[in-house]
Structures are given as C-alpha cells and as structure tokens.
Amino acid sequence: MSDPTANAAPGGSRPADLQARAARLDATDELAKLRDRFQLPDGVVYLDGNSLGALPAGVAQRLAEVVTREWGTSLIGSWSDGTWWTAPERIGDKLSPLIGAAPGQTVVGDSTSVNLFKALVGAARLAGPGRTRMLVDAATFPTDGYIAGSAARMTGLTVVPTDPADVPAALGEDTAVVLLNHADYRTGRLHDLPALTRAAHAAGAVTVWDLCHSAGALPVGLDAHAVDLAVGCTYKYLNGGPGAPAYLYIAARHQQAFDSPLPGWNGHADPFAMTPDYAPAAGATRGRVGTPDILSMLALESALDAWDGVSIEAVRAKSLALTDFFLECVAAYVPEGAVESVTPAEHAHRASQVSLRTENAREVMAELISRGVVGDFRAPDVLRFGFTPLYVGFADAERAARTLGHIFG
C-alpha cells in the first residue's frame, strides 16, 4: 500500500505555518462550537473516540434524574407511566437519521455481538433454499468472526473468509449471507457499502453490515442503498457511554419474515400475556429480547441530543479535512521512515481514523498518552487515532502530530 504521509506535504511544511493554519481552520470551522456539548479534560487531545466517545454534557444530569426520580420515587411505575418500556424503539428512531434509516426499522438494546447473532441467523433464514455459504470479511473484528462461525453452524452454512474487495468475484448462487464491516477497525479503510450491497443482491444473497466504526462519523445510507440488516455499537462516535446498548436495523421489507434466533418475551406481540407459544411482534420490535438496560439506554438517549441540528454530511467533510491535515502534520514533524500510514489516502476509502505502523508501537502510544495525546494501540505495530469531528479540532490534530514528532526526536 502506498504511504499517504510520503507526499502529504509537498515542499515541506514548517511547524509555525502548521500551527497558524490549524488556528485559522478552527476559527472558520462551523462545527467547532459543538465541542461545548461535551465534557473533556483540560490539556488533553482525545483521539480515541473510535473506541469510547467523550461524555456529552447533559448525560450526568439525565442519569441523576432517572436514578433519583424515575427509579427512586416512581419505582416500577416508570415502566408504564414513564419512558422506559418504549425506549428501545424510540431511541432507535432517534439515531436512525445518523445511519440513513426511516423510522420503525431500528431497535436499540443488547450488545453488538448479540445483535449480530440475531442478524446473521435471521439473514440465513431469509436466504433462499440451496444456499450454503456465508461470506465474512476476512479482516473482521474477532468477535464478528466468532459469532459468524456459531451462526453458520446453527444454520448449516459454511463460513468463507473473504477480503471485501474480492466479494463480487466470490459471490455465487450458493451464497446465502454476506457479512462485512463498513470500516476496518484496524486500518480505517472504508468499504464500498453501495457497490458491495448491489453485488450481493445481484447474486441473491442477504447483506449484514457492521457499522461500529462508521456510524456517527460519516453518512451510511442504509435505506438508500437497500441494505438488508445492520448492527452497530453506540459508545464510539455516537458517544453513548461505556457499554452503551447496541442497535439492530431490520429493513422494513424483511420485518414480517425476520425470524430471530432469540425470541425473548420483550419481542413478543403481547409480552404481558405470558403465553407458552411465541408470536413475534410487528416491525423491528421483534428484534427485542429481554428487559432493556434502562440506565444505559436513557444515558444514550440523552447523549444523542449532542447531534441536534448537526448534518452528518458536515461531519464527514470535517472528518476528511482533519485526517488530511493530521497526515500532513505527521509528514512534517515525524522523521522520514519512522511511521507508515496504513489508512488509505483516497477519501472514498478512508473512514474517520488514521492508523500508523511503527516499531515499538505499544511503547510509543504509552508515551503519547503520558504527554496528553490519547489514541490507542492495535497489535502488533499499529497506532490508531480516531477523529470525532463533534469535539476534535485542527489544533488537536497538529499537537498530536507534533508530539509524535518529539517522541521520535
């Protein structure tokens, strides 16, 4: 792979020029004011929002209200009189615009892993007869691979690890399900969701997309591109908090036929009837399983207020500008050959992170963190920097690259 840092700053950029330019870019940034919607520690450049988003300002007060009034005073009455029972569908509709989905198709609850299991088994049951293969992103996050293997054993399919670029050629009449990550968690490579979905549909396969590293950082367009099923977490770019509930998207055209492998009482058409036989609820509600985790659920709902009035297209534009500028600063500050970018230079293939390969990456990241620049490390040799446009600015990008340069002398 070519190294974007090798030609990111033609003619070389001087540190004073970069610092001044960062200040000008921040001064004209229409999203800069959104930083006030988050609580961030002073003096820290936080570039790990692709692992855990920052705390939105209103969440603590909302959680205190839920604990002291809705739980502490109203007790069980909050299930029927308050906002608890309807939270999974209501919050699903609230985040739906960020993934390009119309209301009524997204339900919040459980973890990404649990929702992925539901989606994969459900997708296999939606696929036509005689289909025996499940194509799975060969570089997927490990848990996705583990879940895919279990779902395949349950449904009689064979997992075929496939590079996303090779999916069109690998598809055939025997392909039942295609599981892909919209963005690669290690490199930040963005895969072509529209084209790969079209190719899968042309072969008669059902698509399942993992949006964990794209939702909240760039437009997804689930409805526009006729995606079948999708899952994602909410604690990264959506800032829902540690362990925040994930979501399951079931396209409206599949909802009546979607057969969840986890038919819990919360997904029953009449949950309080307590009948021995299961009758699935209408719509995406059938994706519910057990009692919702209300504290984290309502924290997420409050966290999504940070998106009020924000255009996901504007977020994407700033994300690309930030990562371009960071790569330019890295090229200017870091000695040649010390790092190599493994994140694609092309905007169409770049998500909202920059991954740099270097020797002793674990130690380098630890030193960065000790100097107030928080990113993360992925084995064996990758430094990851996530750019969350709602609260990361150009001065942050410049300081992070400058600090990295200081570490390399």
Side-chain angles (χ1 to χ4, degrees), residues 180 182 190-198 209 348-349:
L180 296 170
H182 196 192
L190 182 67
H191 298 303
D192 192 340
L193 181 148
L196 291 169
T197 300
R198 286 195 302 270
W209 283 92
H349 301 302

Side-chain angles (χ1 to χ4, degrees), residues 337-356:
V339 299
E340 174 197 5
S341 177
V342 295
T343 301
E346 304 89 348
H347 285 182
H349 301 302
R350 186 195 308 166
S352 199
Q353 73 181 56
V354 172
S355 295
L356 303 176

Side-chain angles (χ1 to χ4, degrees), residues 16-405:
D17 294 339
L18 291 171
Q19 288 177 284
R21 212 162 98 231
R24 290 196 300 272
L25 289 167
D26 281 331
T28 58
D29 173 22
E30 63 179 283
L31 301 183
K33 61 184 181 294
L34 299 177
R35 189 182 181 105
D36 293 339
R37 298 183 181 184
F38 296 86
Q39 294 183 22
L40 290 157
D42 293 336
V44 172
V45 173
Y46 189 64
L47 301 181
D48 206 7
N50 53 331
S51 289
L52 175 64
L55 172 64
V59 170
Q61 181 178 346
R62 176 63 181 128
L63 269 179
E65 178 186 24
V66 173
V67 171
T68 59
R69 182 180 63 81
E70 296 182 17
W71 179 14
T73 302
S74 298
L75 294 169
I76 199 168
S78 288
W79 279 114
S80 54
D81 300 336
T83 59
W84 291 6
W85 185 262
T86 58
E89 295 86 357
R90 185 181 67 252
I91 303 171
D93 285 348
K94 188 170 183 176
L95 69 79
S96 284
L98 298 176
I99 56 175
Q105 300 176 100
T106 308
V107 64
V108 170
D110 303 313
S111 66
T112 306
S113 300
V114 172
N115 283 322
L116 182 63
F117 179 72
K118 298 177 210 172
L120 288 174
V121 175
R125 291 171 176 175
L126 288 170
R131 294 178 178 268
T132 58
R133 294 191 304 151
M134 177 188 294
L135 304 188
V136 176
D137 187 336
T140 192
F141 189 77
T143 295
D144 284 23
Y146 308 154
I147 297 292
S150 177
R153 290 191 298 274
M154 176 179 286
T155 57
L157 301 181
T158 299
V159 169
V160 181
T162 310
D163 188 293
D166 298 331
V167 163
L171 289 163
E173 293 182 354
D174 60 347
T175 307
V177 180
V178 180
L179 168 63
L180 296 170
N181 294 273
H182 196 192
D184 186 284
Y185 79 99
R186 184 180 285 107
T187 66
R189 172 175 286 276
L190 182 67
H191 298 303
D192 192 340
L193 181 148
L196 291 169
T197 300
R198 286 195 302 270
H201 287 170
V206 179
T207 57
V208 179
W209 283 92
D210 183 330
L211 309 178
C212 284
H213 287 86
S214 60
L218 50 92
V220 177
L222 295 181
D223 286 353
H225 303 303
V227 167
D228 301 302
L229 301 159
V231 301
C233 64
T234 62
Y235 49 77
K236 294 182 172 65
Y237 296 110
L238 297 178
N239 310 297
Y247 55 90
L248 169 65
Y249 165 89
I250 309 171
R253 65 186 180 279
H254 291 309
Q255 288 175 1
Q256 187 172 354
F258 181 78
D259 182 9
S260 173
L262 296 173
W265 77 287
N266 258 236
H268 195 285
D270 189 0
F272 291 98
M274 304 296 176
T275 59
D277 297 322
Y278 182 75
T285 300
R286 64 181 56 198
R288 292 174 63 157
V289 183
T291 305
D293 41 355
I294 289 301
L295 296 182
S296 58
M297 187 87 67
L298 298 187
L300 168 62
E301 183 172 33
S302 177
L304 291 172
D305 289 344
W307 288 91
D308 287 352
V310 178
S311 158
I312 193 65
E313 288 75 20
V315 168
R316 174 59 168 165
K318 181 178 176 182
S319 165
L320 292 172
L322 278 169
T323 49
D324 279 344
F325 185 64
F326 177 70
L327 285 167
E328 179 179 346
C329 291
V330 168
Y333 288 130
V334 179
E336 185 175 359
V339 299
E340 174 197 5
S341 177
V342 295
T343 301
E346 304 89 348
H347 285 182
H349 301 302
R350 186 195 308 166
S352 199
Q353 73 181 56
V354 172
S355 295
L356 303 176
R357 179 174 289 133
T358 188
E359 294 182 3
N360 303 314
R362 185 190 297 272
E363 292 78 9
V364 171
M365 182 53 68
E367 182 63 23
L368 277 168
I369 293 171
S370 76
R371 299 185 187 202
V373 175
V374 179
D376 71 7
F377 158 78
R378 285 293 180 267
D381 56 2
V382 172
L383 307 171
R384 285 199 324 170
F385 303 92
F387 290 84
T388 306
L390 299 191
Y391 55 77
V392 173
F394 293 89
D396 296 324
E398 186 274 336
R399 179 183 158 192
R402 178 160 38 91
T403 304
L404 185 63

